[in-house]
Amino acid sequence: MIFNGRKTDQCGVILFGSEETDNIISEKSGGYEHVCEYIPVAQPNSGTLAKLDALKPSEVAGDPVDALIVGIETQDVYLAKKKSWTRRIIILTDGENPIEIEDWEATVNKMNALDIALTVVGVDFDDDEFPFHEEEKSNIKSENEAFYHKLTDALENGIVGTCAYALQEISRPDIKQVKSALMATVIRLGDVDVRPDEAIEVAVKATKCTALARPKSWKKFSSREHGEDISMGGEDEEESKTFFAELKMRTEYYIDRGSHDDDDDANSEDEEGSEAAGRKNDNLEKVEKEQLIRGFKYGSTYAPCPDGQFPRLPTRKGIDICGFFHAKNFRRELSMGEVQYIWADPGSPQQQVALSSIVQAMYEKDVMAIARWVSKDGMDPKMGVLAPSMFEKIDCLLWVQMPFADDVRKYTFASLSHLVSKKGESITKHPYIPTDEQMDAMDKFVDAMDLMEAGEKDEEGNREPWFDTRLSYNPAIHRTKQALFHSAVVNDIVTNPLNPPHPELLKYLEPPKRVVKRARDAVEECKQVFKIKEVPRKVAKPRKDGHARARDEDEEMLLLDLKAPKRTHPQSSSQAIAAPRTPAPSKPAADSDTETEEEEEEELLLAKKPGPSNHPLPTPARSLSPQVEPGRAPGRIIGTTYPLRDFKKNIAQGDVVTKAVEDLGVVIKEIVMKPFSSRRYGELLECMETLRDVSLKEDEIDAWNAFLRDLKESCLSEPGNQEFWSEVQKLGRCISLISGPEAAKLGGISNIPETAAEVFIQQ
């Protein structure tokens, strides 16, 4: 109850066997002695645990039936105006107290009339399901235990259990069931302001379908020095106790003016961290928060925002449907956050019929809606999808937020099965291309790991799936909960350590033994076929000062050093210096090659700054993509880095036109056949236009026509690049073969008819 924190989860504690008598019945009519209302009915808190922890065993005999009757009356008086509340009574006993069993049937009738559930938790009670049976049990306990079973059997809702099983069930993971409040909003389809006759507006309510749960947060404590505000009983007591206090965190801002004179880097540190940072770096200068401007990270830079936030859009509260799309095109991996129900207004039948019509139409067409949700007027909009959901007696929509286009990152990788050489030739045998034997071995391994029939058998003897999402729990949440309450009810965790996790919490942390055994042969076959060997662990070399520290996950990867000179040629790794990726000024298309000098720097971005005794970290190998070629190939005058610039430079000389035309054609084809060439399409098309123009004017017509035929054949073959050839076709006739009439205008010769040139680019 404390962990869930619901206001409607309330309880009270009544003691029987107490020395004093203090209960609601004895105050009115007397009797019911040695029964005490210890904790009044209320929402439990840490004080409740402290009071329970103060209880000690009593030598006074008390009647549990008297306590049960007092509990029924106390509960009924408290819940006089709360008829819908669930009523439950739990009796915790060792079964050794004498019981007055006269007229117990009247008590049963009263509990059934009030719909009270009774649970009897007995210390060392017999339980066949647990299982547990106490040996040499006293006669009075045996009789009392039999009475409790008789009592609960007569109730409509009663059960008897042993205390050991109850303690085990306390650590069992449980799901916190919550009821979400109805939030009023409206769904709009069409423009209700400009064309109200063609638009639909439905009043709806939104509630949570799922809710994110996180482990309870931890607070930091540290031993504190004894101050004047702490009262001590004496010197001996002061020396024997250690006091802890919660750390109060504060943020301080520093600017490193050491090697970053041209650009200040503001770092925030906590109280303890700032002092340590100041000792390590004398170049840190403290600044006040008022001197700083808030910035939002965009890529590798920060966009300053002096006002603290950018201007909001003039939005209106509601859910606007922007369009519909087929459900099969929904990408589930892009869904963000929690799912919400969208219900029609419960008090308006007309609105319910309207929303139900929309839901059923979407369901029949198998479509989902793209919607824009604004929670309040002027708030930032959220984009998401609405999916139809039809229950037995009600129809509704399910909403889930989706990312904006700018928030989606597309990472492309080189093909695992199609490799292309630098010459544009397809490679069929390579260490990165799996063989048929390796494919078969992996298929067997995947089949052996099938978990769909790895669970327990059902009533018909068929095995069920091993994993059930309804029975899987977050270990962090429930283990934290168990640790919190163990520490709350135990005085000394050294002598009474935390119990191991509940078996349900560990069920899915280890694979089922049946599957492991079944996959053993497939694993061995994979080891042999793939020649798997254990990779030796790399030991981090200590720094000069003898201290080695790993980077934190959220630590900036880029070190700002604007004083470092910009490299114009690739350097050795021992000279690499980490530099920032700042936005470069706009460049012509020719400078967007994958092999530019900026991207050569990016490969050495994670190398350590050279020092007297350390070595730079090696750059990761680009195993699946062709190696970056820093310059021109031997024998060529045109390079792949800046092909258009090299071509124009050689044409200006005037004596190497034929060689320049030939090399540029080879370079264009080579780049087109490389993976990830789509980023250079604009640059390559510009190269082709320039090459055609020069070929026509310098009487290199045959060279152009031969190049274009070869390029088309290569693009349309396998693996090829049909996408690039489609871009070429969009340019039309002006990029096609040079025909005879076209060449004759400038004194050239070509045997290509005009119609053939038009058909060539269209096919």
Side-chain angles (χ1 to χ4, degrees):
M1 291 181 180
I2 298 174
F3 187 81
N4 292 336
R6 297 192 191 98
K7 294 182 179 179
T8 55
D9 269 349
Q10 300 185 11
C11 70
V13 177
I14 294 176
L15 307 179
F16 59 94
S18 58
E19 294 182 358
E20 66 277 3
T21 300
D22 182 13
N23 60 76
I24 191 172
I25 299 180
S26 64
E27 292 177 356
K28 296 179 180 179
S29 57
Y32 297 89
E33 297 180 353
H34 303 297
V35 177
C36 173
E37 186 178 0
Y38 184 56
I39 301 177
V41 179
Q43 185 180 2
N45 51 34
S46 58
T48 306
L49 296 178
K51 290 182 179 180
L52 292 175
D53 190 44
L55 290 175
K56 295 181 179 180
S58 172
E59 297 180 357
V60 180
D63 192 338
V65 174
D66 286 351
L68 177 61
I69 296 173
V70 170
I72 295 171
E73 185 66 19
T74 304
Q75 188 183 67
D76 191 39
V77 171
Y78 183 80
L79 298 179
K81 297 181 180 180
K82 301 174 182 178
K83 302 294 184 180
S84 61
W85 282 42
T86 301
R87 306 185 182 204
R88 184 187 309 166
I89 293 178
I90 301 173
I91 297 179
L92 176 61
T93 177
D94 60 359
E96 300 288 354
N97 291 45
I99 302 176
E100 181 62 48
I101 61 175
E102 292 183 2
D103 299 329
W104 65 271
E105 292 88 351
T107 305
V108 169
N109 295 333
K110 180 71 172 179
M111 295 181 69
N112 288 335
L114 296 175
D115 194 18
I116 298 176
L118 176 64
T119 301
V120 179
V121 179
V123 179
D124 293 335
F125 273 25
D126 294 342
D127 192 334
D128 295 331
E129 296 182 2
F130 184 54
F132 176 79
H133 288 274
E134 184 182 7
E135 303 293 339
E136 299 180 358
K137 186 179 300 183
S138 64
N139 292 333
I140 187 172
K141 185 171 184 178
S142 299
E143 293 294 333
N144 287 344
E145 190 172 343
F147 168 74
Y148 285 125
H149 281 282
K150 184 178 181 181
L151 176 67
T152 54
D153 290 341
L155 289 169
E156 294 178 358
N157 193 347
I159 188 174
V160 177
T162 185
C163 186
Y165 181 70
L167 291 174
Q168 176 179 300
E169 289 301 294
I170 287 176
S171 62
R172 174 184 291 274
D174 60 339
I175 302 299
K176 180 181 178 181
Q177 300 290 343
V178 296
K179 290 185 179 180
S180 178
L182 291 170
M183 305 297 294
T185 185
V186 62
I187 283 185
R188 290 182 288 265
L189 179 59
D191 196 332
V192 296
D193 296 327
V194 180
R195 297 180 178 179
D197 297 338
E198 301 177 4
I200 300 175
E201 192 172 52
V202 182
V204 295
K205 303 282 187 178
T207 61
K208 285 186 177 181
C209 175
T210 59
L212 177 64
R214 290 189 175 94
K216 290 290 184 180
S217 60
W218 299 93
K219 296 180 179 180
K220 294 182 179 180
F221 286 77
S222 177
S223 58
R224 61 181 297 179
E225 297 178 357
H226 299 305
E228 296 179 356
D229 57 332
I230 302 177
S231 60
M232 295 293 158
E235 295 183 359
D236 296 339
E237 183 180 359
E238 182 176 349
E239 292 178 358
S240 61
K241 291 187 177 181
T242 303
F243 290 86
F244 291 85
E246 182 181 349
L247 292 179
K248 302 296 182 181
M249 307 299 290
R250 73 170 186 262
T251 302
E252 296 180 350
Y253 299 89
Y254 291 82
I255 293 181
D256 187 357
R257 297 194 180 277
S259 58
H260 309 300
D261 294 336
D262 298 332
D263 188 79
D264 296 334
D265 222 3
N267 300 308
S268 63
E269 302 279 350
D270 55 40
E271 181 178 0
E272 183 179 356
S274 62
E275 297 177 358
R279 293 194 297 268
K280 294 178 181 178
N281 192 346
D282 297 333
N283 298 320
L284 293 180
E285 178 182 342
K286 184 178 180 181
V287 295
E288 299 299 328
K289 184 179 180 180
E290 291 73 16
Q291 298 177 256
L292 303 175
I293 297 178
R294 187 178 184 183
F296 293 89
K297 190 162 186 175
Y298 186 78
S300 59
T301 61
Y302 288 90
C305 184
D307 298 332
Q309 66 179 14
F310 295 102
R312 294 184 179 275
L313 296 173
T315 55
R316 181 173 58 171
K317 177 181 178 180
I319 304 174
D320 293 284
I321 296 179
C322 305
F324 298 91
F325 65 97
H326 291 290
K328 63 182 181 180
N329 297 328
F330 175 60
R331 296 177 58 184
R332 294 190 60 179
E333 72 273 12
L334 295 183
S335 58
M336 304 167 59
E338 292 126 13
V339 181
Q340 297 200 41
Y341 288 117
I342 306 297
W343 313 96
D345 189 347
S348 175
Q350 182 183 7
Q351 304 296 316
Q352 296 172 15
V353 173
L355 184 66
S356 179
S357 301
I358 296 175
V359 172
Q360 292 187 32
M362 293 174 62
Y363 181 81
E364 291 179 3
K365 295 292 185 180
D366 194 22
V367 298
M368 301 172 71
I370 302 174
R372 181 175 183 263
W373 190 338
V374 179
S375 58
K376 295 181 181 179
D377 291 341
M379 294 296 291
D380 293 335
K382 296 179 180 179
M383 294 302 297
V385 296
L386 292 169
S389 180
M390 300 174 64
F391 294 97
E392 184 178 355
K393 296 183 179 180
I394 191 171
D395 299 334
C396 67
L397 293 169
L398 295 178
W399 153 275
V400 65
Q401 186 180 352
M402 302 288 283
F404 289 94
D406 293 343
D407 298 327
V408 179
R409 299 290 184 265
K410 295 182 179 179
Y411 297 100
T412 54
F413 302 92
S415 173
L416 295 175
S417 57
H418 296 286
L419 293 183
V420 181
S421 66
K422 293 183 179 180
K423 297 180 180 180
E425 300 174 352
S426 179
I427 300 175
T428 58
K429 292 185 178 181
H430 193 273
Y432 298 146
I433 299 179
T435 63
D436 293 339
E437 186 182 7
Q438 292 173 340
M439 295 288 287
D440 293 339
M442 184 55 64
D443 286 340
K444 295 178 183 177
F445 179 48
V446 173
D447 293 340
M449 292 192 299
D450 187 6
L451 299 175
M452 294 306 296
E453 296 181 357
E456 300 296 332
K457 292 183 179 180
D458 57 13
E459 297 177 355
E460 299 178 357
N462 300 323
R463 289 198 173 272
E464 297 179 341
W466 174 69
F467 181 73
D468 189 344
T469 55
R470 299 168 298 178
L471 301 177
S472 62
Y473 307 95
N474 186 334
I477 295 176
H478 300 284
R479 186 62 169 165
T480 300
K481 169 188 170 182
Q482 187 180 3
L484 283 171
F485 285 96
H486 180 80
S487 300
V489 300
V490 171
N491 290 327
D492 187 3
I493 60 174
V494 176
T495 58
N496 194 347
L498 179 65
N499 296 327
H502 193 277
E504 286 290 325
L505 203 60
L506 307 176
K507 182 165 57 174
Y508 294 124
L509 295 184
E510 295 293 336
K513 296 181 179 179
R514 294 183 64 256
V515 177
V516 174
K517 183 178 180 180
R518 184 176 62 193
R520 191 171 299 161
D521 295 338
V523 171
E524 294 299 326
E525 184 177 354
C526 285
K527 289 181 179 180
Q528 296 176 2
V529 172
F530 289 98
K531 300 178 181 178
I532 296 176
K533 298 180 181 179
E534 184 178 358
V535 179
R537 183 184 296 273
K538 292 184 178 180
V539 181
K541 296 183 179 180
R543 302 195 312 181
K544 183 180 179 181
D545 55 3
H547 174 68
R549 182 182 67 86
R551 284 188 181 274
D552 296 329
E553 292 182 359
D554 56 349
E555 187 174 347
E556 288 290 342
M557 295 291 291
L558 306 181
L559 305 178
L560 193 60
D561 192 354
L562 298 181
K563 285 187 175 182
K566 184 177 180 181
R567 293 186 290 110
T568 56
H569 299 286
Q571 298 179 354
S572 64
S573 59
S574 62
Q575 298 174 336
I577 298 178
R581 290 286 293 167
T582 55
S586 58
K587 297 181 180 180
D591 294 345
S592 63
D593 188 20
T594 58
E595 300 168 356
T596 57
E597 296 168 353
E598 287 80 7
E599 292 197 8
E600 293 166 21
E601 279 192 6
E602 186 177 3
E603 287 194 333
L604 300 176
L605 209 56
L606 303 182
K608 291 172 61 179
K609 191 171 182 179
S613 62
N614 60 6
H615 299 281
L617 297 173
T619 58
R622 301 176 63 180
S623 57
L624 298 182
S625 301
Q627 293 294 327
V628 174
E629 186 178 339
R632 303 178 183 89
R636 291 184 191 168
I637 60 175
I638 306 296
T640 58
T641 307
Y642 304 109
L644 188 59
R645 186 185 67 182
D646 293 347
F647 180 74
K648 291 180 178 180
K649 180 179 179 181
N650 284 281
I651 291 299
Q653 297 179 4
D655 55 347
V656 289
V657 175
T658 302
K659 177 64 174 174
V661 170
E662 178 184 354
D663 283 4
L664 182 57
V666 174
V667 167
I668 292 174
K669 178 184 174 182
E670 181 178 326
I671 297 175
V672 168
M673 293 297 106
K674 284 184 176 182
F676 314 114
S677 61
S678 58
R679 69 183 76 174
R680 303 187 65 182
Y681 282 177
E683 175 192 358
L684 295 174
L685 293 175
E686 185 180 357
C687 289
M688 291 181 63
E689 291 175 341
T690 304
L691 177 60
R692 189 180 192 278
D693 184 62
V694 171
S695 299
L696 181 60
K697 294 178 180 179
E698 299 294 337
D699 197 20
E700 296 291 338
I701 298 173
D702 293 338
W704 165 260
N705 290 341
F707 154 75
L708 195 61
R709 289 192 183 98
D710 183 40
L711 179 64
K712 179 180 180 180
E713 181 180 358
S714 299
C715 288
L716 300 182
S717 61
E718 290 295 336
N721 192 341
Q722 298 185 15
E723 183 183 1
F724 176 74
W725 185 251
S726 299
E727 297 294 326
V728 174
Q729 286 182 308
K730 292 178 182 179
L731 298 178
R733 172 65 184 86
C734 64
I735 202 67
S736 185
L737 300 173
I738 300 176
S739 63
E742 188 179 6
K745 294 179 182 180
L746 296 178
I749 300 174
S750 174
N751 57 358
I752 305 296
E754 181 62 24
T755 55
E758 294 178 356
V759 172
F760 178 84
I761 198 65
Q762 293 175 359
Q763 290 180 343

